[in-house]
Amino acid sequence: MQSLSLNKRAAILSVVLLAVFLGAWEISVTRQVIGEALTEYEILMGLGQQRAAVPPPSDVFIKAWEQLSDPFYDAGPNDKGIGIQLAYSIYRVLSGFGLAVLVALPLGFLIGMSPVAYKALNPFIQVLRPISPLAWMPLALFIIQDANASAVFVIFICSIWPMLLNTAFGVAGVRADWVNVARTHELGSLRTALTVILPAAAPTILTGMRISIGIAWLVIVAAEMLVGGTGIGYYVWNEWNNLDLTSVIFSILMIGVVGMLLDAFFAALQRAVTYAE
Amino acid sequence: MKKNFLSIERLTQTFPDGAGGTLTVFENASFGIDKGEFVCILGHSGCGKSTIMNVLAGLSEPTSGVVKMDGVAVSGPSLDRGVVFQNYSLLPWLSALKNVTFGIKARYRNWSRDKVIEHATRYLAMVGLEGDVIHRKPSQLSGGMRQRVSIARAFANQPKLLLLDEPFGALDALTRGTIQEELLKVWSQTEQTVFMITHDIDEAILLADRILLMTNGPFARVAESVEITIPRPRVRTDIVTHPNYYAIRNHLVQFLGKRSKELAGQRSDGESQSPDPVRIDLTEPAPEPEPDLVRAQLKAVNS
């Protein structure tokens, strides 16, 4: 037999694993034993009613088909399409992340290039960094007085640290030779920063951004469960309150898919700026 | 004393020795370089060659003393003093061509894009890099090619003074030979003033008009300035048969092997330390005793 390539064998194995998992899930939840005739007491106690169970994958597929064939419908505050909910979440993540970039990159350059700035700011960073982003939420809600902006702020505060530290680390680690090349060519500080230090540190900076966007996507779900209104986090919680587990499972899958796409985007950016020495 | 194009006057460099005192690398070192001259500096590791180089490049400040170029004291790095570093120092995210245009754009800010590229391509061709190769990234080039790019970048900027810090130190002997010849070719076309650090005696004789010899540190000094009395153009295979070749080589080997140690550690006592000029030319007097002499020197080299 012609041996298949590594990729093909891996793909076949993936499909088999998925089929086994879905099959086992389907069988375990649909095989509900119909009991013998119930006594009058049992009927009165409601024991005859079908117990709420985890929906089988087939139900989830049907739900996914329904939702994805019309992702942007809007039938009131509690009934919006999955596309709209995801768009709200992505919008919040990108706004918070974008603000974090605007702060983290210049500050990271400063910390990376100036040992004094590094020593002065390091204690603050070390204290602020381990704080769970959601712990900022009450303070943010009180000060900003706006649920949506507070969610953006929480994303901002959680995505700033990996970017800041990686930028500082990347900038500080730029080889002295390359800086000397800039110096012997009489480049000013700004030109040195843009034409030598930025490309030299770009792979490290992009690593920080990739970590940040991952964390931001984790945090937005929890943040939206708290602030409510719109977004994929709110959607999950709302469907839980509706006891619609099919939708909960479906939205969990969608969170995974979007997270993967965001990561893939930054991975591609990272590859584009990576250089071999 | 006549005015040199580049004059190093009473240069002193001390570093803290880590135990509260200071370590004097060299003291009151003075020497000059003429315009268009190719000068090599030879000395053992740690004698301060690279420190002198860094001061000339403006990358570090001497403890005291001045470097004057065209009679004007220089400070800080400048485009007038191009540097070729030992480890090439090419920017790895730029192609060979872009590395050269990077320098040209810094030097000639008002040149058009086409002119910059044309200029860069010409200098890359001078060191033997043509065609697709110039669009490769440094990681896709061999060590020899990288150093060629680095040399092209430095020459393309047409600095008044070109500083080469052991440019061939990391290359194998065959590649080194080829690039030395290319360097000679480019140098003869451009009439650059070149100051170069090397460890390689034969390389120094092939390339230089004058070789400065440094004693061992601490308190190193530029003790001698040996004129290379071998006419140009020089070809590696021909110069070894020139009567002066082994005489000069022998002198250099003797200095580096013995006298650099004997002369080490002498304080300057506030005197300016200029190198003693040395001129060895066996072609000037009657070349009668020459064969014996050459044989004797050959023996000395081999021993």
Side-chain angles (χ1 to χ4, degrees), chain A residues 174 178 195-197 199-201 273 275-276, chain B residues 91-95 99 137-138:
Chain A
V174 172
W178 300 338
T195 60
V196 177
I197 295 176
V273 299
Y275 52 84
Chain B
L91 305 176
W93 55 90
L94 297 178
S95 68
N99 262 289
K137 300 271 170 72

Side-chain angles (χ1 to χ4, degrees), chain B residues 150-268:
Chain B
S150 184
I151 290 170
R153 179 173 68 186
F155 273 97
N157 266 10
Q158 299 164 324
K160 289 181 182 166
L161 172 67
L162 192 58
L163 301 161
L164 308 176
D165 187 357
E166 283 186 54
F168 310 127
L171 302 177
D172 67 88
L174 290 176
T175 313
R176 196 185 303 173
T178 329
I179 304 187
Q180 282 163 0
E181 273 154 29
E182 268 153 12
L183 177 63
L184 270 183
K185 204 175 72 190
V186 181
W187 175 73
S188 60
Q189 285 170 22
T190 53
E191 294 172 343
Q192 284 285 328
T193 310
V194 179
F195 182 77
M196 170 168 157
I197 292 183
T198 178
H199 278 134
D200 185 335
I201 293 176
D202 295 301
E203 175 175 286
I205 299 175
L206 174 69
L207 298 175
D209 292 314
R210 211 145 53 79
I211 297 177
L212 299 174
L213 291 170
M214 275 189 94
T215 62
N216 293 358
F219 296 102
R221 49 182 288 233
V222 182
E224 287 185 6
S225 155
V226 181
E227 193 180 332
I228 307 301
T229 48
I230 299 174
R232 293 182 190 271
R234 296 177 194 155
V235 180
R236 176 185 317 283
T237 45
D238 295 344
I239 59 167
V240 291
T241 57
H242 192 276
N244 291 346
Y245 184 81
Y246 278 102
I248 294 168
R249 192 179 195 282
N250 198 20
H251 181 82
L252 300 178
V253 169
Q254 289 295 334
F255 181 92
L256 290 175
K258 249 164 69 188
R259 301 194 22 248
S260 65
K261 287 192 208 72
E262 292 164 8
L263 293 169
Q266 292 177 0
R267 285 163 196 267
S268 67

Side-chain angles (χ1 to χ4, degrees), chain A residues 177-178 181 183 185-186 196 199, chain B residues 77-79 87 89-90 93 157:
Chain A
D177 298 332
W178 300 338
V181 168
R183 291 179 64 198
H185 285 91
E186 285 186 39
V196 177
Chain B
S78 148
L79 282 163
N87 45 17
S89 291
L90 298 174
W93 55 90
N157 266 10

